[in-house]
Amino acid sequence: MARGGLGLLLGVGFGLGLVVALRALAGLEIFQTEQTGYPQVIVPAIFAPIGFLAGLGAFDYWFRWAIGGPTYPADLEHKDHGAYSWRDYFKFNTDHKVIGIQYICTTFIFFFLGGLLAMIMRAELAQPGTQIVEPAAFNGLFSTHAAIMIFVFVIPVFAGIANYVLPLMIGAPDMAFPRLNALSFWMLPFAGLLFVASFLVPGGAFDAGWTGYAPLSTGAPLGQSFFNLGVQFAGWSSVATALNFLVTIITMRAPGMNFWRLPLLVWANFSTSLLVVAATPFIAGVQFLVLFDRALHTNFFQALNGGDVLSYQHIFWFYSHPAVYIMMLPGFGIVSEVISTNARKPIFGYRLMALALIGIVVLSYTVWAHHMFVSGMFSWLRVPMMITTLLIAVPTGIKIFSWLGTLFASKLHMRSTAMLFALAFIVTFTMGGISGVMLGMVPIDIHVSDTYFIVAHIHFVLFGGSVFTIFAGIYHWFPKMTGRMYDERLGRVHFWLTLVGMYGTFLPMHWIGMEGMPRRVADYSAQFGDWNLLISCFSFLLGVAQLVFLYNMVVSWKWGPLAGDNPWRAKTIEWLVSSPPPVFNFDELPRVVGGPYEFGVPGARHAIIGPAEAEVGAAEPAVAGTAGGRSP
């Protein structure tokens, strides 16, 4: 870390010196202070993370290779691999398990920070008028809250869970590109730091919303440039991780593991990675164009100078609607694992579930303009987008019915907090999906556009959907990651407080939204005062619930009872190794001999590790209707 800090300082110095030298040579004022300029701030903000990463050693191996020099001798090839003390979690590390925990811990820091911003907003909105912050500061609060939660929590925390679990699930010793995996993580904190640092610069935090619509964003204060840069680091971190997942899944599966024996979490991350690789460059590109308009005075989105304002929205939503599924599909995989394990039953319609994931990937690129029904785009585009929006509900609905089919006539085990979150997810996500279908209908969307109905919908989908599945995944794999059991009583307290707080906060927003309560405002009509006070009270309950979670995780990680290798009696490969797993995952390569959910199938095994034992026939993945398809 000391090397990284030195590299950061050198990066800042290089960026600042470059600006000073070039402006002096051009005969310009050395320090430019237009609100869309400040090159003496923006250029060092670009080079500082690069310098830190170089100092940390992220590029050492590739630099040696590029200049034709020796890379590492055999005894140093794995010098950055594995955690032997807590200090190893603060270093450049190539072990996918260490990187997974680095992702999870870092993203949860930003989760609590983004939640704090939300608490300040709800305190301001508890009553009409100005209580705590001025409208301009409020705009910065909700913009930063959304950007942190989307780009630095939900998307990367799923990558963290998958980073830990996925190689184990497919019987791989590590990810395909361990050094790229480490680099992917270390790019991420800078995105969050740039978002937060925007509060400290002249003009305050970026205030054009997480969408950053042009031309509002092209003329916004300096903080908006920090948003443009933060999205770059978060986006390319996500792309590198997705490429790594794709190559790992395709090339590093254990012997016998064909695609129809993959756990659904692996299918979900395979589908998500396809979305990330194809869609994320669009948002990266459009944020570059905004930065060029701001800093270089180009005119991509300046209508008075021939720019096309609506093109920003088309490019942005061509990424951002697939991004909704980037924030959902990994959760679908987590819920499938949790439900099958705790229902003691094979996944109903396994193959159709996997194909539905691919169907969502394809259809997600056909629905972007339903976010633009009131934007002034071509009116003839509305009806096709309405139809595709309704069509994409079909593969999503397949998953709901598959989970319900898995639960039907099962021997349900409710001792796990993960299962409580999974069941709550099904109900909450279904409600959010129904309101999403409503918003896909042009007349309803026009009526409730830019109201609290939209806020309610997105939080039912992303908090009641994504965040519930994140909690389910953390509770489910916590014993495997730490070797300890969490406190189940505190887990249930966390669940019920979160559920009540979430519904109390976001359910009333549907009603006041349909009555005309506008979103993204610091003040509002007095007729909504009582409703907003109620919402704010429940939002603080929701915030307090997350402190229970934090306490449970920290204390249990240190002092929780030992977990054992497979406390949930699950079938997938990660539960066949110790908790936590060995540094290189497996002493012997697993052999996959059946599907991952063969609960109740006599003699069925998913995988075998170790010397020859009575091998089970290569069973097909379990499907609905399998005789005896459940176990006690």
Side-chain angles (χ1 to χ4, degrees):
M1 292 296 288
R3 280 183 57 196
L6 178 61
L8 185 145
L9 293 176
L10 291 175
V12 170
F14 176 79
L16 183 60
L18 183 65
V19 170
V20 170
L22 290 178
R23 292 184 69 85
L25 288 173
L28 299 173
E29 183 181 359
I30 297 298
F31 296 111
Q32 187 253 51
T33 55
E34 294 179 18
Q35 72 172 15
T36 58
Y38 282 94
Q40 68 273 15
V41 175
I42 296 304
V43 176
I46 295 172
F47 281 100
I50 297 173
F52 176 86
L53 293 171
L56 195 67
F59 307 121
D60 285 1
Y61 186 92
W62 297 317
F63 180 73
R64 289 167 179 263
W65 173 85
I67 63 174
T71 50
Y72 294 127
D75 59 330
L76 294 179
E77 180 65 25
H78 301 294
K79 69 183 182 68
D80 298 320
H81 192 90
Y84 301 94
S85 77
W86 62 269
R87 293 179 180 84
D88 291 317
Y89 291 95
F90 294 88
K91 299 177 181 177
F92 184 85
N93 201 300
T94 58
D95 186 348
H96 73 95
K97 299 181 294 298
V98 174
I99 294 168
I101 290 176
Q102 288 175 325
Y103 262 112
I104 292 169
C105 293
T106 302
T107 53
F108 265 98
I109 290 172
F110 285 108
F111 170 71
F112 283 101
L113 183 57
L116 177 63
L117 300 181
M119 296 297 97
I120 298 172
M121 284 189 288
R122 285 315 318 174
E124 171 59 41
L125 291 169
Q127 288 292 289
T130 300
Q131 278 75 239
I132 299 174
V133 295
E134 296 296 326
F138 184 88
N139 291 344
L141 286 172
F142 81 74
S143 301
T144 311
H145 161 75
I148 287 175
M149 288 302 197
I150 291 171
F151 295 115
V152 203
F153 176 61
V154 174
I155 293 175
V157 76
F158 279 132
I161 294 171
N163 236 303
Y164 197 103
V165 175
L166 188 146
L168 291 163
M169 274 189 159
I170 65 173
D174 205 332
M175 293 281 276
F177 306 117
R179 290 180 178 83
L180 181 63
N181 198 22
L183 176 62
S184 301
F185 163 71
W186 283 104
M187 283 193 287
L188 181 69
F190 287 101
L193 291 174
L194 284 165
F195 293 153
V196 176
S198 67
F199 281 100
L200 306 177
V201 300
F206 58 94
D207 59 1
W210 79 274
T211 57
Y213 277 173
L216 179 62
S217 58
T218 57
L222 173 60
Q224 190 66 41
S225 296
F226 280 62
F227 172 79
N228 301 141
L229 295 178
V231 170
Q232 301 298 330
F233 283 101
W236 292 113
S237 167
S238 185
V239 169
T241 301
L243 287 170
N244 221 338
F245 281 143
L246 288 173
V247 177
T248 302
I249 294 168
I250 292 170
T251 67
M252 297 184 67
R253 302 188 307 277
M257 180 170 280
N258 59 39
F259 267 77
W260 295 121
R261 286 175 170 173
L262 290 176
L264 284 170
L265 179 66
V266 182
W267 270 107
N269 279 279
F270 180 78
S271 306
T272 304
S273 299
L274 292 174
L275 278 174
V276 169
V277 170
T280 304
F282 284 89
I283 192 171
V286 81
Q287 296 308 320
F288 267 132
L289 298 183
V290 170
L291 188 62
F292 294 160
D293 274 9
R294 292 174 54 79
L296 303 180
H297 304 294
T298 56
N299 294 297
F300 291 105
F301 306 119
Q302 303 288 351
L304 293 177
N305 297 312
D308 185 352
V309 174
L310 276 183
S311 65
Y312 177 92
Q313 293 191 38
H314 282 292
I315 300 169
F316 178 86
W317 286 114
F318 192 76
Y319 159 78
S320 291
H321 197 86
V324 172
Y325 295 101
I326 292 170
M327 292 184 276
M328 293 303 311
L329 295 186
F332 292 169
I334 290 172
V335 167
S336 299
E337 303 299 326
V338 171
I339 285 179
S340 179
T341 298
N342 288 278
R344 315 306 299 167
K345 195 177 169 190
I347 286 289
F348 182 94
Y350 166 90
R351 294 197 177 197
L352 194 57
M353 283 276 276
L355 293 173
L357 287 165
I358 303 301
I360 290 173
V361 171
V362 174
L363 288 172
S364 68
Y365 290 103
T366 69
V367 300
W368 80 91
H370 73 229
H371 295 274
M372 301 171 57
F373 285 160
V374 296
S375 68
M377 69 176 185
F378 295 121
S379 58
W380 60 264
L381 193 54
R382 288 175 171 177
V383 172
M385 286 294 163
M386 179 176 70
I387 293 171
T388 54
T389 300
L390 300 181
L391 282 176
I392 203 169
V394 174
T396 307
I398 287 172
K399 300 190 169 304
I400 300 294
F401 286 109
S402 179
W403 293 320
L404 294 177
T406 305
L407 292 169
F408 182 75
S410 65
K411 295 192 175 180
L412 200 57
H413 287 223
M414 299 294 289
R415 68 183 184 278
S416 165
T417 302
M419 187 61 171
L420 296 177
F421 273 106
L423 295 176
F425 156 79
I426 293 176
V427 176
T428 308
F429 179 71
T430 300
M431 295 175 64
I434 291 171
S435 64
V437 171
M438 294 170 64
L439 291 172
M441 309 299 290
V442 175
I444 297 176
D445 184 86
I446 291 174
H447 174 65
V448 300
S449 182
D450 286 323
T451 71
Y452 259 50
F453 191 93
I454 308 295
V455 181
H457 162 70
I458 196 65
H459 283 87
F460 259 74
V461 170
L462 293 185
F463 197 100
S466 298
V467 178
F468 276 21
T469 63
I470 290 164
F471 285 135
I474 296 295
Y475 281 112
H476 186 65
W477 282 291
F478 182 85
K480 181 56 57 180
M481 294 177 182
T482 66
R484 303 278 180 172
M485 295 299 295
Y486 59 86
D487 188 324
E488 191 65 56
R489 293 170 299 174
L490 288 179
R492 290 173 180 271
V493 170
H494 171 230
F495 167 74
W496 287 110
L497 290 180
T498 299
L499 186 68
V500 173
M502 185 267 168
Y503 271 79
T505 301
F506 301 115
L507 191 61
M509 291 184 182
H510 292 91
W511 302 324
I512 63 175
M514 287 188 286
E515 292 177 2
M517 170 75 186
R519 62 173 173 165
R520 299 176 177 174
V521 293
D523 196 7
Y524 52 86
S525 171
Q527 68 178 359
F528 303 118
D530 291 341
W531 276 116
N532 273 287
L533 179 59
L534 178 68
I535 290 169
S536 292
C537 290
F538 275 106
S539 72
F540 279 97
L541 176 65
L542 182 59
V544 168
Q546 310 323 309
L547 298 179
V548 177
F549 168 78
L550 179 64
Y551 174 83
N552 193 5
M553 295 296 102
V554 172
V555 172
S556 298
W557 197 340
K558 180 67 175 177
W559 292 288
L562 296 176
D565 296 345
N566 190 2
W568 312 128
R569 294 185 298 147
K571 297 289 187 181
T572 45
I573 298 176
E574 77 272 21
W575 301 104
L576 301 181
V577 298
S578 62
S579 300
V583 172
F584 290 100
N585 295 352
F586 306 101
D587 296 325
E588 295 185 54
L589 201 63
R591 291 166 291 153
V592 178
V593 296
Y597 308 112
E598 303 291 347
F599 294 99
V601 179
R605 296 283 296 275
H606 175 46
I608 296 172
I609 299 178
E613 44 181 290
E615 292 210 16
V616 184
E620 288 296 314
V623 296
T626 301
R630 55 185 179 274
S631 66

